[in-house]
Amino acid sequence: MKNFKETILAQSTPPGNGGIGIIRISGSKSVKISKKIIGKKLKPRYAEYLPFKDKNKNIIDYGIVIFYKKPKSFTGEDIIELHSHGGQKIIQFIIKSIINLNYKNVRIANPGEFTERAFLNNKIDLIQAESINELINSNSEKSLKLAIKSFLGNLSKIIKYSINNINNLITYIETEINFSKKIKNLNFKINKKINLIYKHLKYIYKESKQSLEKKNGIIISIIGEPNVGKSSLMNFLTKKDTSIITNIPGTTRDIIKEYININNINLEINDTTGIHKTNNKIENIGIKKTFKIINKSKLIIFMDDASKTSEKKIYKKYNKLIKNNTKINIKKKKIIFIRNKIDLTKEKIKGKITNIINISIKKKIGLHTFIKKIKNILKKYNNSKNNFLSQERHLIIIKKTIKNIKNIIKIISINKSNYLDLITNELIIIKNQLNQILGKNIHNSEIILNKIFSTFCIGK
């Protein structure tokens, strides 16, 4: 256990008035502070209802006190929890009274500092620390469940499994290099083991990417020419006046972003600038931004005016504006084709879910079919059984390890005289990278840790 010089304290319940307020104190002075405030020695893990007093022994409040003796506490240090009445003024007054005791090296905690100490004292790994923040900030049931799985160690176990396989392979190479006479046979065995590690890392990468999408939201772009009803569709999906609607083409000149939830899946909806040829500099900037968001999107809703474009011609329009555009990469993107203003054409619509959905936002025709189409596309995200919640940094590191594995496969194919040493070096790099996800070799990196824990709330 690491001995921190400073004792930290903070309000752990959200700011504002409530039924209860919790103040957490962690560090070597915790017991001394509690004795001064409640006037008695506490029994570990035993809740007692006692008066809270200031340094002049005036009663501030009555509440529950719990003592968690080190190392059997969240931070691995002595922790005192004061459960007071939930008025914000009461909580602030108790904290002020503790500070006014004027004990040396006692201060208000930084954001996430309790969790950071738990990590630095090896009570949890870095994945679990990050998952605590995700638990607190989850905005959907899916991301909440994934955060719980990560906190329980699902991702940690998978990463450790890969590290164990790499360690075994390094040991195998170092043992066999001195005894194996048949190099071809050795190459075959190494290659087989490398491919197993490679498949496992690709699986982690795929799962991590999917879990990030579930957390951050699947990006959807509503695109098309000006004045086809993109902003009206945006307002229908978000159920509020998010986008300004006029009959003037080019009203939307910048990306308008909103978040919604369909079937418990977070979606980032983007209303984009109408794609067309123009000499207007501001509109051209908006169109460039539209191309960028299309490239990021998983789902594209291509809209057109039914009174101007038939079902047969909508594909040609799409190919001209989007598919054949060299600035846009449409690979692996789902497309929904929408013909809006169907009320003007007086066409009969069947309401079947096809490649082209005919709607009238103004007359509320075909919108139910359109929502069904989106739900069908989103089914695969609901059906995917992710076992953990990843962070962007995990994805970046795993991508690097896959690159290193590919290097090993190249080294084996070239078969240089010192190729076994080269393979071992690459495996050590991969192992170190995976350990970074767990936080094993970044304990001294204040920049990384500050970046992670600064996103936490104070008191956690």
Side-chain angles (χ1 to χ4, degrees):
M1 290 288 170
K2 189 173 179 178
N3 291 316
F4 295 92
K5 286 182 180 179
E6 295 173 310
T7 295
I8 55 173
L9 70 142
Q11 177 179 340
S12 287
T13 43
N17 295 333
I20 190 170
I22 299 174
I23 297 160
R24 180 183 277 170
I25 312 164
S26 181
S28 59
K29 298 267 178 47
S30 297
V31 174
K32 200 174 181 181
I33 290 167
S34 69
K35 203 169 182 181
K36 196 76 176 174
I37 286 193
I38 60 170
K40 65 172 287 188
K41 191 177 179 181
L42 294 168
K43 184 180 174 182
R45 296 182 175 271
Y46 186 81
E48 294 187 67
Y49 182 68
L50 297 164
F52 304 157
K53 299 174 183 177
D54 62 18
K55 66 179 181 180
N56 297 319
K57 296 186 179 180
N58 297 313
I59 294 174
I60 307 166
D61 193 15
Y62 274 84
I64 302 290
V65 187
I66 307 172
F67 169 40
Y68 299 94
K69 189 174 174 60
K70 68 175 185 181
K72 294 181 179 180
S73 70
F74 176 65
T75 60
E77 306 172 314
D78 285 338
I79 285 182
I80 299 291
E81 279 188 3
L82 303 173
H83 297 227
S84 70
H85 288 94
Q88 191 59 42
K89 288 291 180 187
I90 296 169
I91 297 164
Q92 287 172 351
F93 190 52
I94 294 168
I95 290 171
K96 188 181 176 182
S97 296
I98 294 167
I99 296 297
N100 285 343
L101 293 172
N102 291 323
Y103 285 126
K104 194 179 177 182
N105 295 324
V106 175
R107 62 169 173 82
I108 302 294
N110 295 319
E113 194 170 359
F114 292 99
T115 308
E116 184 177 10
R117 288 192 179 194
F119 162 67
L120 292 170
N121 279 329
N122 298 315
K123 300 293 290 184
I124 52 173
D125 62 38
L126 199 53
I127 294 170
Q128 290 172 305
E130 289 167 311
S131 68
I132 290 170
N133 201 31
E134 293 297 341
L135 272 169
I136 294 166
N137 295 304
S138 290
N139 55 9
S140 75
E141 193 179 314
K142 281 282 178 188
S143 60
L144 177 65
K145 285 178 178 178
L146 289 173
I148 291 166
K149 286 178 179 180
S150 283
F151 180 67
L152 292 173
N154 285 21
L155 178 55
S156 302
K157 286 171 189 173
I158 291 167
I159 297 295
K160 285 172 185 175
Y161 176 78
S162 282
I163 291 168
N164 190 48
N165 284 340
I166 290 162
N167 281 333
N168 289 341
L169 182 52
I170 291 168
T171 304
Y172 176 78
I173 291 169
E174 288 173 349
T175 305
E176 292 296 317
I177 196 169
N178 297 317
F179 300 102
S180 181
K181 294 177 182 178
K182 296 179 180 178
I183 295 296
K184 284 184 181 179
N185 189 43
L186 180 62
N187 285 357
F188 173 77
K189 286 181 179 178
I190 291 170
N191 207 28
K192 193 176 178 181
K193 289 175 188 290
I194 288 292
N195 279 312
L196 285 172
I197 294 167
Y198 181 42
K199 282 179 185 176
H200 194 249
L201 289 171
K202 282 210 296 185
Y203 158 76
I204 298 170
Y205 184 78
K206 184 186 173 184
E207 289 283 306
S208 297
K209 206 171 181 182
Q210 282 185 354
S211 77
L212 269 174
E213 283 174 350
K214 284 183 179 180
K215 182 183 80 169
N216 298 333
I218 296 161
I219 301 173
I220 298 175
S221 293
I222 305 168
I223 64 169
E225 291 181 311
N227 209 29
V228 295
K230 298 187 297 297
S231 296
S232 297
L233 187 66
M234 176 75 160
N235 291 348
F236 164 72
L237 287 169
T238 59
K239 295 179 182 177
K240 56 185 178 181
D241 295 332
T242 300
S243 300
I244 298 167
I245 300 168
T246 72
N247 292 323
I248 303 165
T251 301
T252 304
R253 297 192 174 193
D254 202 353
I255 305 290
I256 296 167
K257 184 190 296 183
E258 272 290 344
Y259 292 90
I260 64 168
N261 191 288
I262 294 178
N263 280 9
N264 208 24
I265 297 172
N266 293 328
L267 306 175
E268 180 195 298
I269 311 290
N270 293 277
D271 180 14
T272 64
T273 305
I275 302 169
H276 66 295
K277 286 185 179 179
T278 176
N279 293 322
N280 187 302
K281 287 183 180 179
I282 296 170
E283 282 187 318
N284 275 321
I285 290 167
I287 292 165
K288 282 180 182 178
K289 286 184 178 181
T290 296
F291 292 154
K292 283 181 181 178
I293 201 67
I294 291 171
N295 283 327
K296 288 180 181 179
S297 299
K298 277 279 181 183
L299 172 62
I300 295 169
I301 299 168
F302 182 80
M303 285 191 78
D304 214 331
D305 186 335
S307 66
K308 295 177 182 177
T309 306
S310 66
E311 285 193 0
K312 288 181 180 179
K313 287 182 179 179
I314 196 168
Y315 293 115
K316 287 182 181 178
K317 184 78 70 70
Y318 167 74
N319 289 340
K320 183 183 175 183
L321 292 175
I322 308 301
K323 195 174 180 181
N324 298 332
N325 194 314
T326 55
K327 293 177 183 178
I328 301 169
N329 179 14
I330 59 150
K331 287 179 182 178
K332 296 180 181 179
K333 296 185 191 300
K334 294 286 182 182
I335 318 283
I336 297 177
F337 292 94
I338 299 288
R339 288 175 73 237
N340 186 32
K341 306 182 185 180
I342 203 74
D343 54 301
L344 300 177
T345 67
K346 295 179 181 178
E347 293 176 54
K348 288 183 180 180
I349 62 166
K350 295 175 182 178
K352 287 184 179 180
I353 299 172
T354 58
N355 287 336
I356 301 169
I357 309 292
N358 294 312
I359 67 167
S360 167
I361 300 168
K362 187 178 179 180
K363 298 291 182 180
K364 296 181 180 177
I365 300 168
L367 295 172
H368 183 67
T369 308
F370 164 64
I371 293 296
K372 266 188 176 179
K373 178 78 174 179
I374 289 180
K375 285 180 178 179
N376 284 349
I377 290 169
L378 296 176
K379 268 182 185 177
K380 73 164 193 172
Y381 293 98
N382 250 337
N383 294 334
S384 60
K385 295 177 181 179
N386 296 88
N387 288 311
F388 52 81
L389 186 62
S390 278
Q391 306 295 323
E392 196 67 48
R393 74 174 191 94
H394 303 165
L395 207 64
I396 292 164
I397 292 169
I398 293 160
K399 202 172 183 179
K400 285 179 185 176
T401 64
I402 290 169
K403 192 177 178 182
N404 288 113
I405 287 284
K406 286 179 179 178
N407 288 343
I408 291 172
I409 294 165
K410 279 183 185 178
I411 290 164
I412 292 169
S413 65
I414 294 166
N415 202 12
K416 287 185 177 181
S417 56
N418 64 335
Y419 81 105
L420 290 173
D421 290 333
L422 294 171
I423 290 169
T424 303
N425 288 338
E426 288 289 340
L427 287 170
I428 290 166
I429 291 167
I430 294 166
K431 184 176 77 169
N432 289 338
Q433 286 170 342
L434 292 174
N435 272 320
Q436 277 182 24
I437 296 174
L438 296 168
K440 281 196 174 180
N441 48 3
I442 61 167
H443 280 65
N444 296 322
S445 180
E446 284 187 25
I447 296 168
I448 295 171
L449 293 181
N450 286 343
K451 190 177 179 182
I452 291 168
F453 291 106
S454 63
T455 60
F456 283 52
C457 56
I458 292 171
K460 194 57 195 168

